[in-house]
Amino acid sequence: MSTDPPDSGTVLNRPAPATDGLITVGADGRVTGATERAAARLRTTRGALVGESLSEYVDGPWPPADWSGETTDRTDGPVRLSVDTADAAPAELVVYAFDDAAVEYVVVVGDAEGGATDRLRTASERYRTIFEHCNDGILILDPVDERIVECNPQACSLLGYAREELLQLRPADVHPHEVDRLEAFVETVLEEGASFTSELSCYTKHGQVVPAEISASVVGDGDSRQVLASIRDISERHEREVELRRQSQAMDAAMDGTAILSPEEQFVYVNRAYARMYGYDDPEDLVGCPWQELYGDEQVNRLEWEALSELREDGSWRGEAVGTRTDGSTFPQELTLSLLEGGGMVLVVRDVSDQKRRERRLRTLSTVSEELLRAETGRDVAAQAVEAVSSVLGFDAACVRSYDESANALDRVATTDAADALLADRPAYDFEATYAGRAFRSGTTVRNTTSATDPYERGETESSLHLPLGEYGTLSVVAPEATFTDHQRRTAEVFAGIVTAALERAAREATLQAKERAVRTQRDELDTLNRVNVLVRDLLEALVEAKSRRTIEETVCADLVASELYQQAWIGSVDEVDETVTPQAAAGERAELVLERGSVDLNAVNGGLVADALDRGTARVHRRYVATGAGVDEVGIESGRLRAVAAVPLLSGDRTHGVLVLSSSRSDVFGDQATAGLEALGNLVGYAIDALHRRNMLMTDTAVELVFEIRGRTFFVHLSDRLGCRCVYQGGTPFAAGQIKHHVRIEGASAADVSRLAAASDEVIDCTVRHDHDDECHVTVVVEQSPPEVLVESGAVLEGIVAEDGVARLTAAAPGTADIRAVVDAIQSRYADAELVAKRDRVDRPPAAFRGDVSELLTPRQREIARTVFEAGYYEWPREHTAEEIASDLDIASSTLHQHLRKAERALLSVFVGEDPDTTTSGGS
């Protein structure tokens, strides 16, 4: 409008000209406020005027007639009214429309001449201009009704509302997040008349928060008091302050040290990181100090010459330096200098000690990797790995464990001294329960930190890393008084990978070398086997010609040493009762020493190797190194070099004739095939010794007769006891599987009773009745390990057995050169209760020799027919079978049978009567 109404609060609270008064009127026409001058003009008091209808004082209609029509525009200008009261002083009422919820009209009470109207118009225009064009947003608030009663355009723009929208809001709608603080601020304004705050911010229509400074004052008085609030947007200033705080905090909290120097090169600002790098607790301790105090003389000279000259020329410099701490220690640093306007400079320092250490460790890691990959064995790799942990990771305690698949366990193969000290007081844990075991099974690194509450109870913190080494085991690193950083863990994992690669390479190399050794060994063993075979063949010829056991033993030892395969060979006789071995012949190195030792405990010879071979009945081999200069503690062992030793039993069937012991410095002479050849040689020597015993027994006229009584539960002893009979051994013939068929005459028992008891006996394999008479029968019986077999194996022969009344009397004969102790041991080993009751020497011709002489006069066919006729009972009375029946079974003519029998009978009689066999005439074919 052309003339705006004045701000009601402003008008009422500002002093009016001496001749003017102001009145505010509400929509209902009643006075809501008045100045003292206005009340005086109307001849009343201010208290009486407020609340009265203005129509009581107006000369004319109220509201003014010009505003009463619907088409009347109240913006056309004020309406002038005269006072209706006769008592009132001459005055003019100038009415202004005021679009406000509380005040609808403003009335100026002036003098009748109208001077007040002009002054009021001027004041109103001035106040409206200020209100509308103020840079700050202005709100007029009604604290009682809690509403916004007026606003200027800046307030609408600031908050994002149209004027009509904003006047519909409550103050709390502008500050929804700070209602309590808003209420407290308004209360302070009402109490003190004015106040200021920067703690309130405004919410815009679109939900944005606007930081603000608000100054407020009270307008009006009494119940009509209102609050005029001026709102200033401080968003930009707030952002600048926040950014400055952020930058300041960032500098203070930065990991890098930051400092600012004055043009005089003194510190004016130092952040905490910079101070701590040099050993200062408080950054202020460095303010005012020159930068040169933080470097040694050499570094100061270098920086002034190199860094500052480049800084002045280029405005910046970056490089490396060495700083000095307050305690005199130094540290490597990365230094950046920037020139400031005015001559000052900014220093940014980064401590690169860790980086330098990492670089050194990486260089060390590279060197260690090369060394590990040159290690020849897995144990070498493990030993180098634990020693390298200190240089690579900086910790002294390390341990490598190797996985033992057969035991499902991790065994320590390499430890540092520090690790030994730590592990010495550790309890033993099962593989499944250890951190190393967990790392091995999972294939991942296990990091553990223990304390006093853990099982070790050391009362201190201790960290450990357990890293898998593929299928080979684990690497454990212990930090007794520290913890592992992530970088150290990663470095340890890289190092473990290198160790694993080295172990894999060593394993491949070991496999290749093993294959090469196997090929060489096979080649050497094949060559050795050929030589052993030739040696055995040559020895066979020599053994056939040997006339004594000593000759056999000496020949074997000498030829074995002469082959250059063995450095020493000796043969010893064995006493199984005393468990001793006595060297009988020796050849090669230190042979005299071997023979001089005499009898030696079986278990003391070559670490029990001889006893083991005799117990197993097979050749046994032992390889060992004997330290140079050590004494000879065992028979057949020479000190000073590798010695492979073999013990070979000398066997003839189940009988042991001694042991052959061979020593060699060659690793190929006792391979599996060569050892099998030596076992064959041992059997050959055993058979040769046994054959020599038999030949001596046949050739000598001197014999030893041995008589044994046997009361054990053998078949014939049991038979004589149960049937009250007498059993007489009458010879034997071969049976299946190398067993002997015994011909026995039984006196005083029937064949049926004998067959019944034989069938019930576990000892009897076969029993056949040959003849059965009234009180006598002849049977052939086969039993397991019969006396003739036992005696033959020990070098003796059976002369007779008679069993009667539960006792068997066994008579045996052995040549004078036989080992009588061995014969007795053989019988007693077969019959536990056998007792030697007689031993006597005699000179006679043994039956075996007689049989041999007869046999030499017969052809094989004649011997076969003679034996068949005898076993068929041809010579029994009465004859069991006739000559014709026997001839028919043999598929020959009866006359041919009689010719063979006559030849056999003549040979028998010629030998018996002592006639020279050469005078006899052989007949038949």
Side-chain angles (χ1 to χ4, degrees), residues 5-16 21-24 35 98 106-108 120 123-124 127:
D7 184 311
S8 62
T10 303
V11 172
L12 294 177
N13 283 279
R14 288 179 60 85
L22 298 178
I23 299 173
T24 59
T35 63
F98 199 88
V106 175
V107 180
V108 177
L120 181 59
S124 175
Y127 292 140

PDB file of all heavy atoms in Angstrom, residues 5-16 21-24 35 98 106-108 120 123-124 127:
ATOM      1  N   PRO A   5       1.142   0.694   7.590  1.00  0.00           N
ATOM      2  CA  PRO A   5       0.954   0.907   9.032  1.00  0.00           C
ATOM      3  C   PRO A   5       2.251   0.690   9.758  1.00  0.00           C
ATOM      4  O   PRO A   5       3.093  -0.072   9.329  1.00  0.00           O
ATOM      5  CB  PRO A   5      -0.086  -0.150   9.405  1.00  0.00           C
ATOM      6  CG  PRO A   5       0.111  -1.238   8.409  1.00  0.00           C
ATOM      7  CD  PRO A   5       0.498  -0.557   7.137  1.00  0.00           C
ATOM      8  N   PRO A   6       2.453   1.307  10.831  1.00  0.00           N
ATOM      9  CA  PRO A   6       3.671   1.090  11.619  1.00  0.00           C
ATOM     10  C   PRO A   6       3.601  -0.241  12.336  1.00  0.00           C
ATOM     11  O   PRO A   6       2.557  -0.804  12.551  1.00  0.00           O
ATOM     12  CB  PRO A   6       3.658   2.269  12.590  1.00  0.00           C
ATOM     13  CG  PRO A   6       2.213   2.557  12.796  1.00  0.00           C
ATOM     14  CD  PRO A   6       1.539   2.295  11.473  1.00  0.00           C
ATOM     15  N   ASP A   7       4.784  -0.723  12.675  1.00  0.00           N
ATOM     16  CA  ASP A   7       4.879  -1.915  13.508  1.00  0.00           C
ATOM     17  C   ASP A   7       4.267  -1.586  14.842  1.00  0.00           C
ATOM     18  O   ASP A   7       4.699  -0.650  15.528  1.00  0.00           O
ATOM     19  CB  ASP A   7       6.359  -2.283  13.659  1.00  0.00           C
ATOM     20  CG  ASP A   7       6.523  -3.552  14.432  1.00  0.00           C
ATOM     21  OD1 ASP A   7       5.919  -3.693  15.499  1.00  0.00           O
ATOM     22  OD2 ASP A   7       7.322  -4.427  13.967  1.00  0.00           O
ATOM     23  N   SER A   8       3.215  -2.337  15.224  1.00  0.00           N
ATOM     24  CA  SER A   8       2.487  -1.967  16.446  1.00  0.00           C
ATOM     25  C   SER A   8       3.372  -1.992  17.657  1.00  0.00           C
ATOM     26  O   SER A   8       3.364  -1.071  18.461  1.00  0.00           O
ATOM     27  CB  SER A   8       1.294  -2.916  16.636  1.00  0.00           C
ATOM     28  OG  SER A   8       1.766  -4.246  16.807  1.00  0.00           O
ATOM     29  N   GLY A   9       4.188  -3.070  17.767  1.00  0.00           N
ATOM     30  CA  GLY A   9       5.060  -3.129  18.939  1.00  0.00           C
ATOM     31  C   GLY A   9       6.074  -2.021  18.922  1.00  0.00           C
ATOM     32  O   GLY A   9       6.390  -1.415  19.928  1.00  0.00           O
ATOM     33  N   THR A  10       6.613  -1.763  17.730  1.00  0.00           N
ATOM     34  CA  THR A  10       7.618  -0.713  17.632  1.00  0.00           C
ATOM     35  C   THR A  10       7.032   0.639  17.985  1.00  0.00           C
ATOM     36  O   THR A  10       7.607   1.444  18.705  1.00  0.00           O
ATOM     37  CB  THR A  10       8.206  -0.684  16.216  1.00  0.00           C
ATOM     38  OG1 THR A  10       8.741  -1.973  15.904  1.00  0.00           O
ATOM     39  CG2 THR A  10       9.292   0.360  16.078  1.00  0.00           C
ATOM     40  N   VAL A  11       5.802   0.893  17.484  1.00  0.00           N
ATOM     41  CA  VAL A  11       5.153   2.181  17.760  1.00  0.00           C
ATOM     42  C   VAL A  11       4.880   2.350  19.234  1.00  0.00           C
ATOM     43  O   VAL A  11       5.151   3.373  19.833  1.00  0.00           O
ATOM     44  CB  VAL A  11       3.855   2.300  16.939  1.00  0.00           C
ATOM     45  CG1 VAL A  11       3.073   3.528  17.349  1.00  0.00           C
ATOM     46  CG2 VAL A  11       4.189   2.360  15.449  1.00  0.00           C
ATOM     47  N   LEU A  12       4.361   1.335  19.839  1.00  0.00           N
ATOM     48  CA  LEU A  12       3.969   1.452  21.237  1.00  0.00           C
ATOM     49  C   LEU A  12       5.156   1.538  22.168  1.00  0.00           C
ATOM     50  O   LEU A  12       5.036   2.019  23.294  1.00  0.00           O
ATOM     51  CB  LEU A  12       3.092   0.262  21.631  1.00  0.00           C
ATOM     52  CG  LEU A  12       1.723   0.205  20.928  1.00  0.00           C
ATOM     53  CD1 LEU A  12       0.977  -1.055  21.328  1.00  0.00           C
ATOM     54  CD2 LEU A  12       0.886   1.443  21.276  1.00  0.00           C
ATOM     55  N   ASN A  13       6.313   1.006  21.762  1.00  0.00           N
ATOM     56  CA  ASN A  13       7.459   1.013  22.658  1.00  0.00           C
ATOM     57  C   ASN A  13       8.433   2.140  22.365  1.00  0.00           C
ATOM     58  O   ASN A  13       9.419   2.288  23.076  1.00  0.00           O
ATOM     59  CB  ASN A  13       8.212  -0.317  22.561  1.00  0.00           C
ATOM     60  CG  ASN A  13       7.468  -1.421  23.319  1.00  0.00           C
ATOM     61  OD1 ASN A  13       7.578  -1.522  24.528  1.00  0.00           O
ATOM     62  ND2 ASN A  13       6.681  -2.201  22.584  1.00  0.00           N
ATOM     63  N   ARG A  14       8.233   2.833  21.272  1.00  0.00           N
ATOM     64  CA  ARG A  14       9.088   3.971  20.990  1.00  0.00           C
ATOM     65  C   ARG A  14       8.384   5.240  21.495  1.00  0.00           C
ATOM     66  O   ARG A  14       7.173   5.383  21.376  1.00  0.00           O
ATOM     67  CB  ARG A  14       9.339   4.100  19.490  1.00  0.00           C
ATOM     68  CG  ARG A  14      10.256   3.013  18.951  1.00  0.00           C
ATOM     69  CD  ARG A  14      10.454   3.189  17.447  1.00  0.00           C
ATOM     70  NE  ARG A  14      11.057   4.473  17.140  1.00  0.00           N
ATOM     71  CZ  ARG A  14      12.372   4.692  17.148  1.00  0.00           C
ATOM     72  NH1 ARG A  14      13.205   3.710  17.481  1.00  0.00           N
ATOM     73  NH2 ARG A  14      12.874   5.875  16.859  1.00  0.00           N
ATOM     74  N   PRO A  15       9.109   6.189  22.040  1.00  0.00           N
ATOM     75  CA  PRO A  15       8.465   7.443  22.490  1.00  0.00           C
ATOM     76  C   PRO A  15       7.842   8.192  21.317  1.00  0.00           C
ATOM     77  O   PRO A  15       8.491   8.395  20.302  1.00  0.00           O
ATOM     78  CB  PRO A  15       9.628   8.248  23.093  1.00  0.00           C
ATOM     79  CG  PRO A  15      10.727   7.248  23.316  1.00  0.00           C
ATOM     80  CD  PRO A  15      10.550   6.190  22.302  1.00  0.00           C
ATOM     81  N   ALA A  16       6.572   8.544  21.445  1.00  0.00           N
ATOM     82  CA  ALA A  16       5.887   9.323  20.389  1.00  0.00           C
ATOM     83  C   ALA A  16       6.198  10.807  20.566  1.00  0.00           C
ATOM     84  O   ALA A  16       6.604  11.248  21.634  1.00  0.00           O
ATOM     85  CB  ALA A  16       4.387   9.083  20.461  1.00  0.00           C
ATOM     86  N   GLY A  21      -0.199  10.472  20.327  1.00  0.00           N
ATOM     87  CA  GLY A  21      -0.446   9.253  21.105  1.00  0.00           C
ATOM     88  C   GLY A  21      -0.846   8.119  20.178  1.00  0.00           C
ATOM     89  O   GLY A  21      -1.386   8.368  19.096  1.00  0.00           O
ATOM     90  N   LEU A  22      -0.632   6.917  20.581  1.00  0.00           N
ATOM     91  CA  LEU A  22      -0.920   5.757  19.730  1.00  0.00           C
ATOM     92  C   LEU A  22      -1.834   4.795  20.451  1.00  0.00           C
ATOM     93  O   LEU A  22      -1.695   4.579  21.654  1.00  0.00           O
ATOM     94  CB  LEU A  22       0.376   5.037  19.322  1.00  0.00           C
ATOM     95  CG  LEU A  22       1.383   5.845  18.497  1.00  0.00           C
ATOM     96  CD1 LEU A  22       2.616   4.982  18.234  1.00  0.00           C
ATOM     97  CD2 LEU A  22       0.765   6.281  17.183  1.00  0.00           C
ATOM     98  N   ILE A  23      -2.729   4.185  19.653  1.00  0.00           N
ATOM     99  CA  ILE A  23      -3.658   3.197  20.177  1.00  0.00           C
ATOM    100  C   ILE A  23      -3.688   2.036  19.196  1.00  0.00           C
ATOM    101  O   ILE A  23      -3.763   2.244  17.975  1.00  0.00           O
ATOM    102  CB  ILE A  23      -5.083   3.785  20.357  1.00  0.00           C
ATOM    103  CG1 ILE A  23      -5.070   4.953  21.352  1.00  0.00           C
ATOM    104  CG2 ILE A  23      -6.054   2.699  20.824  1.00  0.00           C
ATOM    105  CD1 ILE A  23      -6.419   5.684  21.427  1.00  0.00           C
ATOM    106  N   THR A  24      -3.654   0.798  19.714  1.00  0.00           N
ATOM    107  CA  THR A  24      -3.817  -0.386  18.863  1.00  0.00           C
ATOM    108  C   THR A  24      -5.170  -1.000  19.168  1.00  0.00           C
ATOM    109  O   THR A  24      -5.602  -1.043  20.316  1.00  0.00           O
ATOM    110  CB  THR A  24      -2.717  -1.422  19.115  1.00  0.00           C
ATOM    111  OG1 THR A  24      -2.732  -1.817  20.470  1.00  0.00           O
ATOM    112  CG2 THR A  24      -1.357  -0.870  18.751  1.00  0.00           C
ATOM    113  N   THR A  35      -0.773   4.389  24.477  1.00  0.00           N
ATOM    114  CA  THR A  35       0.261   5.136  25.186  1.00  0.00           C
ATOM    115  C   THR A  35      -0.418   6.064  26.187  1.00  0.00           C
ATOM    116  O   THR A  35      -1.622   6.345  26.105  1.00  0.00           O
ATOM    117  CB  THR A  35       1.110   5.954  24.211  1.00  0.00           C
ATOM    118  OG1 THR A  35       0.269   6.924  23.583  1.00  0.00           O
ATOM    119  CG2 THR A  35       1.745   5.057  23.146  1.00  0.00           C
ATOM    120  N   PHE A  98      -3.934  -2.724  10.005  1.00  0.00           N
ATOM    121  CA  PHE A  98      -2.705  -3.466  10.318  1.00  0.00           C
ATOM    122  C   PHE A  98      -3.023  -4.958  10.266  1.00  0.00           C
ATOM    123  O   PHE A  98      -3.771  -5.475  11.090  1.00  0.00           O
ATOM    124  CB  PHE A  98      -2.210  -3.069  11.706  1.00  0.00           C
ATOM    125  CG  PHE A  98      -0.755  -3.414  11.918  1.00  0.00           C
ATOM    126  CD1 PHE A  98       0.227  -2.513  11.551  1.00  0.00           C
ATOM    127  CD2 PHE A  98      -0.379  -4.633  12.470  1.00  0.00           C
ATOM    128  CE1 PHE A  98       1.551  -2.816  11.740  1.00  0.00           C
ATOM    129  CE2 PHE A  98       0.937  -4.919  12.665  1.00  0.00           C
ATOM    130  CZ  PHE A  98       1.929  -4.025  12.298  1.00  0.00           C
ATOM    131  N   VAL A 106      -4.295   0.492  13.898  1.00  0.00           N
ATOM    132  CA  VAL A 106      -3.431   1.386  14.677  1.00  0.00           C
ATOM    133  C   VAL A 106      -4.017   2.807  14.548  1.00  0.00           C
ATOM    134  O   VAL A 106      -4.240   3.279  13.430  1.00  0.00           O
ATOM    135  CB  VAL A 106      -1.983   1.351  14.178  1.00  0.00           C
ATOM    136  CG1 VAL A 106      -1.155   2.383  14.919  1.00  0.00           C
ATOM    137  CG2 VAL A 106      -1.397  -0.047  14.332  1.00  0.00           C
ATOM    138  N   VAL A 107      -4.253   3.391  15.696  1.00  0.00           N
ATOM    139  CA  VAL A 107      -4.886   4.727  15.714  1.00  0.00           C
ATOM    140  C   VAL A 107      -3.888   5.733  16.280  1.00  0.00           C
ATOM    141  O   VAL A 107      -3.310   5.502  17.349  1.00  0.00           O
ATOM    142  CB  VAL A 107      -6.163   4.736  16.573  1.00  0.00           C
ATOM    143  CG1 VAL A 107      -6.798   6.137  16.566  1.00  0.00           C
ATOM    144  CG2 VAL A 107      -7.139   3.682  16.044  1.00  0.00           C
ATOM    145  N   VAL A 108      -3.685   6.784  15.537  1.00  0.00           N
ATOM    146  CA  VAL A 108      -2.805   7.864  15.996  1.00  0.00           C
ATOM    147  C   VAL A 108      -3.705   9.015  16.504  1.00  0.00           C
ATOM    148  O   VAL A 108      -4.580   9.477  15.790  1.00  0.00           O
ATOM    149  CB  VAL A 108      -1.901   8.371  14.861  1.00  0.00           C
ATOM    150  CG1 VAL A 108      -1.045   9.533  15.349  1.00  0.00           C
ATOM    151  CG2 VAL A 108      -1.052   7.227  14.312  1.00  0.00           C
ATOM    152  N   LEU A 120       3.688  10.340  11.851  1.00  0.00           N
ATOM    153  CA  LEU A 120       3.432   8.907  11.960  1.00  0.00           C
ATOM    154  C   LEU A 120       3.695   8.204  10.636  1.00  0.00           C
ATOM    155  O   LEU A 120       4.272   7.120  10.589  1.00  0.00           O
ATOM    156  CB  LEU A 120       1.988   8.676  12.398  1.00  0.00           C
ATOM    157  CG  LEU A 120       1.596   7.195  12.579  1.00  0.00           C
ATOM    158  CD1 LEU A 120       2.486   6.528  13.619  1.00  0.00           C
ATOM    159  CD2 LEU A 120       0.118   7.078  12.974  1.00  0.00           C
ATOM    160  N   ALA A 123       7.464   7.822  10.270  1.00  0.00           N
ATOM    161  CA  ALA A 123       8.005   6.759  11.151  1.00  0.00           C
ATOM    162  C   ALA A 123       7.595   5.385  10.649  1.00  0.00           C
ATOM    163  O   ALA A 123       8.385   4.433  10.635  1.00  0.00           O
ATOM    164  CB  ALA A 123       7.514   6.971  12.578  1.00  0.00           C
ATOM    165  N   SER A 124       6.348   5.284  10.201  1.00  0.00           N
ATOM    166  CA  SER A 124       5.855   3.987   9.741  1.00  0.00           C
ATOM    167  C   SER A 124       6.625   3.520   8.518  1.00  0.00           C
ATOM    168  O   SER A 124       7.003   2.360   8.397  1.00  0.00           O
ATOM    169  CB  SER A 124       4.356   4.093   9.414  1.00  0.00           C
ATOM    170  OG  SER A 124       3.894   2.876   8.858  1.00  0.00           O
ATOM    171  N   TYR A 127      10.136   2.346   9.617  1.00  0.00           N
ATOM    172  CA  TYR A 127      10.137   1.048  10.287  1.00  0.00           C
ATOM    173  C   TYR A 127       9.835  -0.082   9.302  1.00  0.00           C
ATOM    174  O   TYR A 127      10.424  -1.155   9.358  1.00  0.00           O
ATOM    175  CB  TYR A 127       9.107   1.048  11.419  1.00  0.00           C
ATOM    176  CG  TYR A 127       9.488   1.954  12.563  1.00  0.00           C
ATOM    177  CD1 TYR A 127       8.516   2.732  13.211  1.00  0.00           C
ATOM    178  CD2 TYR A 127      10.815   2.020  13.003  1.00  0.00           C
ATOM    179  CE1 TYR A 127       8.852   3.571  14.246  1.00  0.00           C
ATOM    180  CE2 TYR A 127      11.156   2.862  14.041  1.00  0.00           C
ATOM    181  CZ  TYR A 127      10.184   3.629  14.660  1.00  0.00           C
ATOM    182  OH  TYR A 127      10.510   4.453  15.689  1.00  0.00           O
TER     183      TYR A 127
END
